[in-house]
Amino acid sequence: MQIQISPGGSQTIYRQIVDQIRRAVAADKVAIGDSVPSVRQLAKDLVVNPNTVAKAYAELVRDGVLESQLGRGYFVARRKNIYTKAERLRRLDDVLDSVVSEALALDFASEEVVQRLVERMEALSPRER
Amino acid sequence: MQIQISPGGSQTIYRQIVDQIRRAVAADKVAIGDSVPSVRQLAKDLVVNPNTVAKAYAELVRDGVLESQLGRGYFVARRKNIYTKAERLRRLDDVLDSVVSEALALDFASEEVVQRLVERMEALSPRER
Amino acid sequence: MQIQISPGGSQTIYRQIVDQIRRAVAADKVAIGDSVPSVRQLAKDLVVNPNTVAKAYAELVRDGVLESQLGRGYFVARRKNIYTKAERLRRLDDVLDSVVSEALALDFASEEVVQRLVERMEALSPRER
Amino acid sequence: MQIQISPGGSQTIYRQIVDQIRRAVAADKVAIGDSVPSVRQLAKDLVVNPNTVAKAYAELVRDGVLESQLGRGYFVARRKNIYTKAERLRRLDDVLDSVVSEALALDFASEEVVQRLVERMEALSPRER
DNA sequence: GTGGTCTAGACCACT
DNA sequence: GTGGTCTAGACCACC
């Protein structure tokens, strides 16, 4: 379970941690029940504050990706949908709108955007869906 | 040139202004050379701080969407690309990655995401490209 | 919008804040769109750390009770269900199980527990459901 | 006397042990005077730390469910109330309040909550009360 | 002024 | 050792 952050990036540190773990789980690079690095260990490795890691892990627990076992650590949870269809669409639309805005700002044609998205999605979905 | 903001939204106010003007320009609802509302007028209409509008206009000038004519106001600029291909792709990839992460988090299939994106892009591109 | 905490209680501070706001919203003591005290103001009033209040508000945003407007404050959101039926039941069962355990531990008869629960639920549901 | 723990659950391990023994006793699956597994044996069976089992047994002794006979083991005690009526109600109300909060958060109707509680209580009370 | 993020460090419960 | 909570204080973006 390798995690890397780029402190200079536009994304916040805890966001980068969340995303990477989500992708690792989605790509089956870690199995259900596997442990992820302890809060303190990861904080030490990334040279960030433990609270930052804890915040990232807390979000992953909230979204059902990880489970916490007090005193033992965090583990990859069995995948389950916890949000209603409407809520899931609402959240998806939020980020899609930012894509549309950015595409307009950069004068990309729709086809370019879609094609680029397809490329980036396929790149990390080796598991069966 | 009608602009509306929804204070309850997750997006920031100045971001909403920027996006709407970009969309209006992209959809050819305003022509090159047309004026946009003055900073003070729009601020009064939207009941927001003039600084907020000024910030939005400044970003649009920076990105080449508007031009300021000192003392006269802001006008829609002739479309020109100011970023290199590489920079444009880098910026597009940034938002696309956030889509991929959210799609994974919500367990959407790639096809659903792509289709939804197409819908939202077509909705606001009545002009020929 | 009055909030009070008892620092000596068994519940954590941020939990008490979350619960009281949830109840105020559920009991229609605050209307949709109303603002809640700012993070810093409430922290000062309760003599707790602003981070503690921020954590409470963050949970309420996650659960769709509040909405945050950057730079303006937190506001009561329109009520919407964001969790699936299964997830809602799962969460309800979690707390119900703790009741069952405690009732067993204290040798309460089922009827007593149920009656007591009914009392406490009715006490704070003045709104139509 | 079968005890099973689910490491993935939200509840702490020693809490699960305490609850299960309490339920077994309440449901008359073990009789007064019966022995429960030794600390070391149960720890080995569950693959947990003996301290964890010891802590669970200690709580059960404190609450009058078990009795320890030095050098012989732990045994089911004759049921006796150790808390005053007021204290019992106070403890019950604590957990009931958490139910009320969660029910509000999830927008459950009172009747649903009560019905669900009744179901879960009846499920494990085969003995006459 | 507001919220959002991050750091540093403390104390507690649990394994 | 682990996570959970809380404090104190910093810097930033936004209004």
PDB file of all heavy atoms in Angstrom, chain C residues 92-105:
ATOM      1  N   LEU C  92     -29.824   2.778  12.207  1.00  0.00           N
ATOM      2  CA  LEU C  92     -30.800   2.750  13.293  1.00  0.00           C
ATOM      3  C   LEU C  92     -30.574   1.518  14.173  1.00  0.00           C
ATOM      4  O   LEU C  92     -30.588   1.605  15.403  1.00  0.00           O
ATOM      5  CB  LEU C  92     -32.221   2.728  12.712  1.00  0.00           C
ATOM      6  CG  LEU C  92     -33.337   2.701  13.749  1.00  0.00           C
ATOM      7  CD1 LEU C  92     -33.319   3.958  14.610  1.00  0.00           C
ATOM      8  CD2 LEU C  92     -34.706   2.535  13.084  1.00  0.00           C
ATOM      9  N   ASP C  93     -30.353   0.376  13.528  1.00  0.00           N
ATOM     10  CA  ASP C  93     -30.152  -0.855  14.289  1.00  0.00           C
ATOM     11  C   ASP C  93     -28.942  -0.757  15.214  1.00  0.00           C
ATOM     12  O   ASP C  93     -28.936  -1.323  16.314  1.00  0.00           O
ATOM     13  CB  ASP C  93     -29.975  -2.039  13.325  1.00  0.00           C
ATOM     14  CG  ASP C  93     -31.309  -2.466  12.721  1.00  0.00           C
ATOM     15  OD1 ASP C  93     -32.346  -1.996  13.217  1.00  0.00           O
ATOM     16  OD2 ASP C  93     -31.307  -3.277  11.783  1.00  0.00           O
ATOM     17  N   ASP C  94     -27.927  -0.067  14.765  1.00  0.00           N
ATOM     18  CA  ASP C  94     -26.741   0.092  15.610  1.00  0.00           C
ATOM     19  C   ASP C  94     -27.103   0.684  16.969  1.00  0.00           C
ATOM     20  O   ASP C  94     -26.709   0.153  18.014  1.00  0.00           O
ATOM     21  CB  ASP C  94     -25.719   1.015  14.912  1.00  0.00           C
ATOM     22  CG  ASP C  94     -24.730   0.225  14.066  1.00  0.00           C
ATOM     23  OD1 ASP C  94     -24.875  -1.002  13.976  1.00  0.00           O
ATOM     24  OD2 ASP C  94     -23.810   0.856  13.509  1.00  0.00           O
ATOM     25  N   VAL C  95     -27.862   1.763  16.956  1.00  0.00           N
ATOM     26  CA  VAL C  95     -28.195   2.382  18.238  1.00  0.00           C
ATOM     27  C   VAL C  95     -29.261   1.578  18.982  1.00  0.00           C
ATOM     28  O   VAL C  95     -29.251   1.516  20.205  1.00  0.00           O
ATOM     29  CB  VAL C  95     -28.647   3.855  18.068  1.00  0.00           C
ATOM     30  CG1 VAL C  95     -27.465   4.738  17.715  1.00  0.00           C
ATOM     31  CG2 VAL C  95     -29.743   3.988  17.040  1.00  0.00           C
ATOM     32  N   LEU C  96     -30.153   0.936  18.220  1.00  0.00           N
ATOM     33  CA  LEU C  96     -31.170   0.115  18.894  1.00  0.00           C
ATOM     34  C   LEU C  96     -30.510  -1.043  19.636  1.00  0.00           C
ATOM     35  O   LEU C  96     -30.923  -1.395  20.741  1.00  0.00           O
ATOM     36  CB  LEU C  96     -32.190  -0.415  17.871  1.00  0.00           C
ATOM     37  CG  LEU C  96     -33.174   0.633  17.349  1.00  0.00           C
ATOM     38  CD1 LEU C  96     -34.179  -0.009  16.399  1.00  0.00           C
ATOM     39  CD2 LEU C  96     -33.908   1.315  18.505  1.00  0.00           C
ATOM     40  N   ASP C  97     -29.477  -1.606  19.041  1.00  0.00           N
ATOM     41  CA  ASP C  97     -28.791  -2.705  19.722  1.00  0.00           C
ATOM     42  C   ASP C  97     -28.167  -2.256  21.032  1.00  0.00           C
ATOM     43  O   ASP C  97     -28.129  -3.013  22.012  1.00  0.00           O
ATOM     44  CB  ASP C  97     -27.708  -3.287  18.798  1.00  0.00           C
ATOM     45  CG  ASP C  97     -28.315  -4.225  17.766  1.00  0.00           C
ATOM     46  OD1 ASP C  97     -29.499  -4.578  17.923  1.00  0.00           O
ATOM     47  OD2 ASP C  97     -27.617  -4.610  16.820  1.00  0.00           O
ATOM     48  N   SER C  98     -27.673  -1.024  21.039  1.00  0.00           N
ATOM     49  CA  SER C  98     -27.085  -0.541  22.290  1.00  0.00           C
ATOM     50  C   SER C  98     -28.180  -0.380  23.349  1.00  0.00           C
ATOM     51  O   SER C  98     -27.929  -0.580  24.540  1.00  0.00           O
ATOM     52  CB  SER C  98     -26.343   0.781  22.064  1.00  0.00           C
ATOM     53  OG  SER C  98     -27.265   1.821  21.791  1.00  0.00           O
ATOM     54  N   VAL C  99     -29.378  -0.050  22.902  1.00  0.00           N
ATOM     55  CA  VAL C  99     -30.499   0.040  23.845  1.00  0.00           C
ATOM     56  C   VAL C  99     -30.826  -1.338  24.398  1.00  0.00           C
ATOM     57  O   VAL C  99     -30.995  -1.513  25.610  1.00  0.00           O
ATOM     58  CB  VAL C  99     -31.759   0.624  23.163  1.00  0.00           C
ATOM     59  CG1 VAL C  99     -32.983   0.449  24.054  1.00  0.00           C
ATOM     60  CG2 VAL C  99     -31.543   2.091  22.839  1.00  0.00           C
ATOM     61  N   VAL C 100     -30.891  -2.301  23.508  1.00  0.00           N
ATOM     62  CA  VAL C 100     -31.218  -3.656  23.952  1.00  0.00           C
ATOM     63  C   VAL C 100     -30.195  -4.152  24.967  1.00  0.00           C
ATOM     64  O   VAL C 100     -30.550  -4.714  26.016  1.00  0.00           O
ATOM     65  CB  VAL C 100     -31.273  -4.604  22.734  1.00  0.00           C
ATOM     66  CG1 VAL C 100     -31.491  -6.037  23.202  1.00  0.00           C
ATOM     67  CG2 VAL C 100     -32.394  -4.184  21.790  1.00  0.00           C
ATOM     68  N   SER C 101     -28.945  -3.916  24.678  1.00  0.00           N
ATOM     69  CA  SER C 101     -27.894  -4.350  25.598  1.00  0.00           C
ATOM     70  C   SER C 101     -28.035  -3.673  26.957  1.00  0.00           C
ATOM     71  O   SER C 101     -27.943  -4.310  28.007  1.00  0.00           O
ATOM     72  CB  SER C 101     -26.521  -4.036  25.007  1.00  0.00           C
ATOM     73  OG  SER C 101     -26.252  -4.907  23.928  1.00  0.00           O
ATOM     74  N   GLU C 102     -28.248  -2.385  26.916  1.00  0.00           N
ATOM     75  CA  GLU C 102     -28.351  -1.649  28.180  1.00  0.00           C
ATOM     76  C   GLU C 102     -29.587  -2.089  28.951  1.00  0.00           C
ATOM     77  O   GLU C 102     -29.538  -2.221  30.175  1.00  0.00           O
ATOM     78  CB  GLU C 102     -28.419  -0.134  27.889  1.00  0.00           C
ATOM     79  CG  GLU C 102     -28.169   0.737  29.102  1.00  0.00           C
ATOM     80  CD  GLU C 102     -26.734   0.671  29.619  1.00  0.00           C
ATOM     81  OE1 GLU C 102     -25.877   0.114  28.901  1.00  0.00           O
ATOM     82  OE2 GLU C 102     -26.479   1.141  30.737  1.00  0.00           O
ATOM     83  N   ALA C 103     -30.664  -2.332  28.207  1.00  0.00           N
ATOM     84  CA  ALA C 103     -31.893  -2.762  28.875  1.00  0.00           C
ATOM     85  C   ALA C 103     -31.681  -4.111  29.562  1.00  0.00           C
ATOM     86  O   ALA C 103     -32.135  -4.325  30.690  1.00  0.00           O
ATOM     87  CB  ALA C 103     -33.030  -2.847  27.862  1.00  0.00           C
ATOM     88  N   LEU C 104     -30.983  -4.991  28.880  1.00  0.00           N
ATOM     89  CA  LEU C 104     -30.680  -6.288  29.479  1.00  0.00           C
ATOM     90  C   LEU C 104     -29.807  -6.113  30.709  1.00  0.00           C
ATOM     91  O   LEU C 104     -30.044  -6.704  31.765  1.00  0.00           O
ATOM     92  CB  LEU C 104     -29.944  -7.170  28.466  1.00  0.00           C
ATOM     93  CG  LEU C 104     -30.799  -7.847  27.408  1.00  0.00           C
ATOM     94  CD1 LEU C 104     -29.914  -8.623  26.453  1.00  0.00           C
ATOM     95  CD2 LEU C 104     -31.794  -8.787  28.084  1.00  0.00           C
ATOM     96  N   ALA C 105     -28.794  -5.276  30.546  1.00  0.00           N
ATOM     97  CA  ALA C 105     -27.857  -5.072  31.648  1.00  0.00           C
ATOM     98  C   ALA C 105     -28.572  -4.535  32.877  1.00  0.00           C
ATOM     99  O   ALA C 105     -28.218  -4.853  34.012  1.00  0.00           O
ATOM    100  CB  ALA C 105     -26.764  -4.108  31.210  1.00  0.00           C
TER     101      ALA C 105
END
